[in-house]
Amino acid sequence: MKSIGARITVFYAITTTAILACLFVAGHYLLESYLIHQLDEINEAQFKHLKATLGPDYRTLTPSTVDDRIREATESASSLFYVDMHGPMTNRFFKSHNLQGHSIPDLVGQHTYSIDVDRIGELRVSEFLLPPFEVMVGTPLAPVYDLLAGYRKVFFGLLAAMLVASIVIGYVLSKLILRPVRVIQATANRIRSDNLNERIPVAEVKDEISQLARLLNQMFDRLETSFDEIRRFSADASHELKTPLSLVRLHAERLMINSDLDASQKESVQVQLEELARVGQIIDELLFLSRADARAITIDLVEQRPEAFLHGFEQDARVLAEHHGVKFVCDHRGEGTVAVDNKRIRQVLLNLLVNALNVSPPGGVINLESLLSDGVWRLSLVDDGPGLTPEQCEQIFERFVRLNPAGKDPHGSGLGLAISRSIVKLHKGDIRATSSDVGRGLRIVIELPAGNAIAWPAATI
Ligand SMILES: Nc1ncnc2c1ncn2[C@@H]1O[C@H](COP(=O)(O)OP(=O)(O)O)[C@@H](O)[C@H]1O
Ligand SMILES: [Mg+2]
């Protein structure tokens, strides 16, 4: 059983039902002993009545007078008592009619006992001495057994009801006990590198669970401090690198312009400049990411119609695509406006476009589909490349992940999509990659919240 809740429920149900069963068994035993003891007392009372009816002079009476007196004493309660009286020679002296001629067997050495009498049933028998006679008074045990059978029936009914009730109570109890654990679980699950300041709510009471929550919060405090230090370090490092890099670049440019370098020397200075530009770009990207992690990036949201934004982007995208021998097609549907940071979303789309151009074959087509509907602006870029597996679709958004470093774009850093994701996140949107339709490459979908978009039919992107 994997769930603690289920274990608590089962444990509670079994324990309470077992306790109840033990109580009932003990009750059964005590009730049976009590009832049988009562029968013994009734038998004794009947014997005393018999003795009183016979009177003190019973030894001097004739057998027929004794017989009459005994009959007088026993006949009135003939359904309840069986009387068997015999003398010293064991020849029967008196037997009540209800014995139908049978004798009550005598168990040697026992004065009260239960015994089965032929055709009469089980009797509880008490043996008394009325010298020179032995008197055996018996009472049927059937009513006692009937009562015990009724008791058992009630017991099994109650046991079943108890089992059901204890399962319900155990379930509710386990839910109540585990509620703080679930709160811890949900909060711990939510805490990631970008919301490390969130903490588990700690209850006022000082129990084991609140202690655990406190310990976890202390651990999150330490983690947050370390993360902050790492972020500060990468921001500082990027910053510190930029100044010497600019100086090196400046010197290389001056070398290129002023000195009399031969062709091969000029070429190597050119390579240096290109590499410096690449390093500079990586530093900028790293700086952006560490500032985004530290939530130090602000976005400048401007309410606008997507058509206008896309029109501007389409112009540049088309030129860029043509340069690569690829066709760029853009299409927008839907009415309304969106609030986005123009520059940043453009940066995202350009990044996606460059990636798509890197994988598209000459003569291929890149489609940008835009749909504004139901409060969401959905942009979807589809290329003609080889596409990716579902695992790769998630991987590519991680930092420094380049699945094809030897591909067409040797200048890529593997940070473009990580930056795109953090920009989309700043807009409270979502970006994901999926394998596109059969025959096409990768589809990257961006969803941005758009407050006043009108519902548009056929949201197919
Ligand atoms: N449209 C695409 N089709 C196939 N693979 C892609 C596509 N876009 C991105 N990728 C893969 O994802 C990796 C990461 O992309 P990105 O973060 O933009 O970094 P970079 O472009 O600098 O390599 C790329 O190196 C590439 O392998
Ligand atoms: Mg890229």
Side-chain angles (χ1 to χ4, degrees), residues 306-414:
E307 295 94 315
F309 168 81
L310 286 173
H311 183 70
F313 176 73
E314 193 181 355
Q315 310 287 317
D316 301 339
R318 206 164 265 162
V319 175
L320 206 62
E322 269 166 24
H323 181 69
H324 283 76
V326 175
K327 198 170 168 215
F328 179 78
V329 182
C330 181
D331 153 61
H332 173 76
R333 284 175 296 154
E335 288 294 323
T337 56
V338 288
V340 291
D341 184 328
N342 245 335
K343 212 174 87 197
R344 303 260 187 229
I345 295 297
R346 197 182 140 80
Q347 185 186 349
V348 172
L349 288 181
L350 266 178
N351 187 22
L352 300 187
L353 179 68
V354 171
N355 285 349
L357 288 172
N358 285 337
V359 292
S360 290
V365 181
I366 294 172
N367 274 75
L368 177 62
E369 298 159 18
S370 157
L371 175 73
L372 187 58
S373 171
D374 288 337
V376 179
W377 183 25
R378 196 172 289 116
L379 287 154
S380 168
L381 192 100
V382 188
D383 62 50
D384 264 345
L388 295 172
T389 62
E391 297 91 72
Q392 288 174 329
C393 282
E394 197 38 51
Q395 263 177 19
I396 55 173
F397 290 97
E398 285 166 24
R399 292 168 193 191
F400 293 111
V401 167
R402 300 184 66 208
L403 301 175
N404 186 17
K408 275 194 193 173
D409 180 18
H411 304 296
S413 59

Side-chain angles (χ1 to χ4, degrees), residues 200-271:
I200 298 163
V202 181
E204 285 293 309
V205 280
K206 283 200 171 145
D207 55 17
E208 292 85 343
I209 290 184
S210 67
Q211 194 63 24
L212 175 71
R214 229 169 262 127
L215 280 176
L216 282 172
N217 280 346
Q218 284 165 10
M219 190 184 82
F220 288 130
D221 286 345
R222 289 195 295 273
L223 271 179
E224 193 182 8
T225 313
S226 326
F227 261 71
D228 280 348
E229 274 166 14
I230 293 167
R231 279 177 194 143
R232 212 171 312 123
F233 171 78
S234 51
D236 290 351
S238 311
H239 220 63
E240 291 302 315
L241 283 173
K242 282 191 79 140
T243 320
L245 204 70
S246 318
L247 280 174
V248 176
R249 191 189 170 95
L250 209 68
H251 282 285
E253 276 169 357
R254 213 190 278 164
L255 204 66
M256 193 79 163
I257 299 163
N258 298 339
S259 56
D260 310 321
L261 300 176
D262 61 30
S264 74
Q265 285 169 325
K266 274 199 169 167
E267 199 186 320
S268 67
V269 176
Q270 186 59 41
V271 170

Side-chain angles (χ1 to χ4, degrees), residues 42 45 128 138 153 180 195-196 208-209 238 267 299 301 394:
I42 290 173
F128 304 97
K153 219 155 129 188
N195 64 337
L196 262 177
E208 292 85 343
I209 290 184
S238 311
E267 199 186 320
I299 47 167
L301 296 179
E394 197 38 51

